[in-house]
Amino acid sequence: MKSFKYLAIVGLLTTSQLDAQNVTTYAGVQYTDSGRFLGTADNPKNTELYSRPNGIAVDNNGRIWVSDEHNIMLLDGNTSRNRGGYRGDPNSSQSMGYFDGAATASRFTFPTGLAVHPTANDLYICDRDNSSIRKGSKFVNSSNSTLFSTYAGYSDWTGGYVDGSLTDARFRFPEDAEFDASGVLYICDFMNHCIRKITGGQVSTLAGDGSQSPGYTDANGKSARFSYPSGIGMDSNGDLLVADRNNRCIRRIKLSTGDVTTVTKDVNFPYDVIGIDDKIYILEPTCIKVFDGSKVSVFAGSTSTSGYKDGALKDALFGQMFHFDYNPNDECLYVADYGNNVIRRIPLNLEVSADFYANKTNAIVNQTVVLTSSSKNYQSLTWEITPASYTLQAGSSLSDRVVYVSFNNATSYTVKLTAKNPSGQDIAAKDNYINVSTNSLAKPVADFTTSNTYPTINSELVKLVDLSANNPTSFSWTITPSTFTYENATNAQSRNPEIKFTALGLYNVSLTVENANGNSTENKTNYIQVVGLSNGVIKPIQAIIYPNPSKGDLSIKGLPSGTEYRVFDLSGRVIIAGNVQDEIVELHLNVGMYVIQAQVNGNWNSLGKVIVNP
């Protein structure tokens, strides 16, 4: 998403102090029977009593949804909230059932796999023993109840197999669900031995024939055969992975063609699967395995021993596990440990890596420079700049990922960044990295950037940050159209104004700066695109960007041939523009963050943000 062609690795010094990270109990009180509960709706996560937690999904805000015996729970920070189902003894005759409604007026019967819509943030539930797909409204706050409704199918204790409209469709004990990036929902239809697809209000069969007879065949679409598929997840290429439980293998469905192939047979009754970067993580009853493209190895837990033990990855013990999910915010897997009635946290990346870059390394006195961390696997950042003759701009702090800083003296500055996570720290230091000179007799050269070129309407505060050279003494901003407000006592003459946008669309931004030697103007057309809130005013384009994040090479598929597209860096520059050929775009981008747009029906629409890691 950001094009950082100015990345310089000069005088880099890296040190590491690393210890192994551990499997930990994230929520719940461990016990091995079932039927325990707390009658209160909201409880500290370390005192919550789950009963047979099964499904788990991370929403777009990093909250964690959990399905237990008959309930839908939400881990919101340090609080576990009962958002749906029966708040009482799970062995009671009142605990299970099939009722739509708000909060605990709803009823479920052994809900299993969960999935969160990639933009709307709503929850989708495989209500397994009701053979239906249910929907829960996104979490807003604790005073707003989650509203549960039937999304596809209806309550049927024996289940069935029917493709068609959402109300006509039938499932047989659906076990897991997964969205792709464009919002298409896939269902692991356990007892029909097939994978279903829901899009445009219609349910269809993606792979397998819906037969009640299991089989094993690699083939295209309905010619393929599965045996009790129990989990699904996307891989880094945007294709669907299937944990084909009774065939003891991992399968891949190439979504562009419908072809089903076998990824590996070196697994034992896999229950769930997920692709992260170039690896595939596989959930078995008592362990997590990882496939690196050539071999399968145990990542955490034991293949032969169940139990309950936190600690180093391969020393940890788990009870029966059915589903897991990945939280990109802390790069950890979260597992519903059914056998121990707790939620476990498993870190994927054991080492923190510190690095950073500047938008320029040669600056004028008082000119703002943008320092950006490209560190990996960190939980906290600390910047050090020496000498200390500098000024932080636009409200930034020395713990931010992006720091705006102007330098007061004509000299060279050393920059050091310390990145930390629970396992240790890493330090990147660049000696004499920013070289500052004075040019008091020159007229100013206007330049600026923004904290966000892709904000949401009436919501996100956007900072416009002056980057002009040669000490301007006055600033004049022009933003069109005028559907915005200045915030926090800033205005059009502020050096770094703060604004909120009140209407959707594309905005032009212009900055004129002046000093005693002259003036300069910088114009950026269609610089900021304001988008709708998550309940959606703008319909997303049905295109997939993969892999995302990437390491430089990525593709866009799903756009019609001839569609115009463009790629912006975070300074608002169009760095790539072109037309789609053969319904696919291949891109190579430098480390950073970018926004990709496509023109549909005469309007530029956002496809989303892209991250390119080192």
Side-chain angles (χ1 to χ4, degrees):
M1 296 182 262
K2 310 163 206 158
S3 165
F4 295 114
K5 301 175 182 176
Y6 306 102
L7 179 61
I9 306 176
V10 179
L12 181 63
L13 172 65
T14 303
T15 61
S16 299
Q17 298 173 349
L18 300 170
D19 300 310
Q21 287 180 276
N22 294 331
V23 174
T24 56
T25 298
Y26 183 74
V29 176
Q30 190 269 344
Y31 68 99
T32 56
D33 54 336
S34 65
R36 299 187 191 183
F37 67 96
L38 295 174
T40 48
D42 299 331
N43 303 291
K45 67 183 179 67
N46 62 342
T47 65
E48 183 67 280
L49 290 174
Y50 298 99
S51 182
R52 298 299 190 233
N54 190 312
I56 192 164
V58 180
D59 78 2
N60 302 333
N61 301 110
R63 303 182 188 95
I64 300 172
W65 290 96
V66 177
S67 62
D68 76 357
E69 205 153 2
H70 305 297
N71 296 326
I72 304 299
M73 314 289 286
L74 178 68
L75 285 161
D76 176 23
N78 290 318
T79 303
S80 174
R81 306 184 188 278
N82 186 327
R83 299 296 291 175
Y86 182 66
R87 190 182 303 148
D89 185 353
N91 294 316
S92 165
S93 61
Q94 303 177 59
S95 65
M96 68 179 72
Y98 184 85
F99 294 106
D100 290 331
T104 54
S106 60
R107 290 292 183 273
F108 304 87
T109 305
F110 296 106
T112 54
L114 307 175
V116 173
H117 193 281
T119 56
N121 213 20
D122 295 324
L123 179 71
Y124 290 74
I125 305 150
C126 290
D127 193 358
R128 189 187 66 191
D129 285 18
N130 282 318
S131 290
S132 63
I133 309 301
R134 311 284 290 280
K135 177 182 176 181
S137 60
K138 67 179 181 180
F139 180 80
V140 177
N141 56 51
S142 58
S143 62
N144 284 267
S145 298
T146 298
L147 180 64
F148 293 96
S149 58
T150 299
Y151 180 66
Y154 67 78
S155 179
D156 185 343
W157 283 81
T158 59
Y161 174 70
V162 177
D163 283 337
S165 69
L166 297 177
T167 53
D168 291 339
R170 296 294 174 265
F171 304 89
R172 185 171 283 112
F173 301 99
E175 179 64 29
D176 199 14
E178 181 73 17
F179 279 100
D180 68 17
S182 65
V184 176
L185 181 61
Y186 301 92
I187 303 296
C188 196
D189 200 348
F190 182 74
M191 293 290 286
N192 280 322
H193 309 288
C194 66
I195 308 301
R196 314 288 286 279
K197 174 181 176 180
I198 305 179
T199 184
Q202 294 291 312
V203 178
S204 59
T205 300
L206 175 68
D209 69 349
S211 167
Q212 294 187 57
S213 299
Y216 175 70
T217 304
D218 281 342
N220 182 268
K222 291 187 177 182
S223 297
R225 295 291 179 270
F226 301 88
S227 181
Y228 300 96
S230 59
I232 50 177
M234 303 302 295
D235 70 9
S236 57
N237 293 318
D239 291 321
L240 196 66
L241 299 168
V242 181
D244 194 358
R245 194 190 73 175
N246 282 23
N247 281 323
R248 301 189 186 190
C249 63
I250 301 299
R251 316 283 288 278
R252 176 182 281 113
I253 305 174
K254 191 169 182 60
L255 294 180
S256 61
T257 64
D259 290 335
V260 178
T261 56
T262 297
V263 175
T264 179
K265 292 184 177 181
D266 193 12
V267 292
N268 189 30
F269 292 107
Y271 277 89
D272 208 351
V273 61
I274 189 170
I276 303 170
D277 294 330
D278 298 324
K279 296 180 180 179
I280 296 172
Y281 292 86
I282 301 155
L283 189 72
E284 293 187 2
T286 59
C287 72
I288 297 169
K289 292 181 176 179
V290 60
F291 177 61
D292 64 5
S294 60
K295 67 179 186 303
V296 175
S297 58
V298 175
F299 182 74
S302 167
T303 59
S304 59
T305 304
S306 63
Y308 175 71
K309 181 182 178 182
D310 285 336
L313 294 176
K314 293 184 182 179
D315 293 333
L317 295 177
F318 300 89
Q320 175 72 49
M321 300 182 291
F322 291 100
H323 294 292
F324 63 175
D325 200 10
Y326 174 64
N327 188 344
N329 294 318
D330 61 3
E331 296 188 307
C332 290
L333 293 170
Y334 286 81
V335 180
D337 191 343
Y338 179 98
N340 287 308
N341 293 296
V342 292
I343 308 304
R344 310 289 287 279
R345 177 182 181 271
I346 302 99
L348 292 191
N349 296 293
L350 303 183
E351 297 184 5
V352 61
S353 173
D355 199 4
F356 62 91
Y357 50 84
N359 71 318
K360 55 173 56 92
T361 56
N362 294 291
I364 304 298
V365 168
N366 294 327
Q367 183 180 14
T368 297
V369 171
V370 185
L371 297 173
T372 303
S373 167
S374 55
S375 305
K376 298 179 65 177
N377 312 326
Y378 65 89
Q379 291 188 1
S380 66
L381 298 170
T382 304
W383 296 86
E384 295 179 55
I385 303 170
T386 53
S389 53
Y390 62 87
T391 302
L392 295 176
Q393 300 288 347
S396 59
S397 76
L398 294 177
S399 60
D400 292 342
R401 188 182 67 84
V402 178
V403 177
Y404 305 106
V405 56
S406 60
F407 297 91
N408 304 339
N409 296 330
T411 187
S412 293
Y413 289 79
T414 293
V415 181
K416 182 170 77 170
L417 176 63
T418 301
K420 294 182 178 180
N421 70 13
S423 70
Q425 69 179 31
D426 191 36
I427 299 173
K430 303 184 183 184
D431 295 329
N432 301 322
Y433 184 53
I434 306 295
N435 299 291
V436 181
S437 61
T438 183
N439 195 352
S440 59
L441 299 179
K443 75 174 187 177
V445 179
D447 192 15
F448 63 88
T449 188
T450 181
S451 61
N452 191 353
T453 56
Y454 189 62
T456 54
I457 186 173
N458 292 320
S459 176
E460 295 181 62
L461 188 69
V462 176
K463 297 179 181 180
L464 295 174
V465 183
D466 164 61
L467 302 179
S468 304
N470 300 332
N471 288 307
T473 56
S474 67
F475 306 86
S476 178
W477 296 87
T478 303
I479 305 168
T480 56
S482 60
T483 46
F484 68 92
T485 60
Y486 286 102
E487 303 289 329
N488 297 327
T490 63
N491 57 43
Q493 283 69 51
S494 299
R495 181 176 182 180
N496 302 309
E498 300 179 3
I499 55 180
K500 284 186 180 179
F501 292 94
T502 57
L504 301 173
L506 292 165
Y507 287 77
N508 305 321
V509 181
S510 174
L511 171 63
T512 298
V513 294
E514 185 175 0
N515 67 14
N517 303 306
N519 60 66
S520 173
T521 299
E522 173 73 1
N523 299 303
K524 297 186 179 183
T525 303
N526 295 336
Y527 182 49
I528 294 174
Q529 181 177 10
V530 180
V531 298
L533 297 173
S534 57
N535 58 4
V537 179
I538 297 175
K539 185 177 180 180
I541 302 170
Q542 300 298 304
I544 296 172
I545 303 171
Y546 65 94
N548 187 17
S550 79
K551 293 187 177 180
D553 294 313
L554 58 122
S555 301
I556 309 170
K557 68 177 182 179
L559 293 174
S561 294
T563 301
E564 290 186 60
Y565 67 89
R566 60 191 184 188
V567 181
F568 291 85
D569 67 16
L570 285 196
S571 71
R573 293 185 299 250
V574 176
I575 61 167
I576 299 174
N579 295 82
V580 178
Q581 304 293 327
D582 299 323
E583 299 187 357
I584 192 165
V585 177
E586 303 285 354
L587 297 174
H588 179 78
L589 301 172
N590 294 331
V591 172
M593 185 179 296
Y594 304 86
V595 174
I596 301 179
Q597 297 178 340
Q599 191 173 51
V600 179
N601 297 325
N603 297 312
W604 284 101
N605 295 268
S606 176
L607 300 182
K609 296 183 179 180
V610 176
I611 295 173
V612 178
N613 291 321

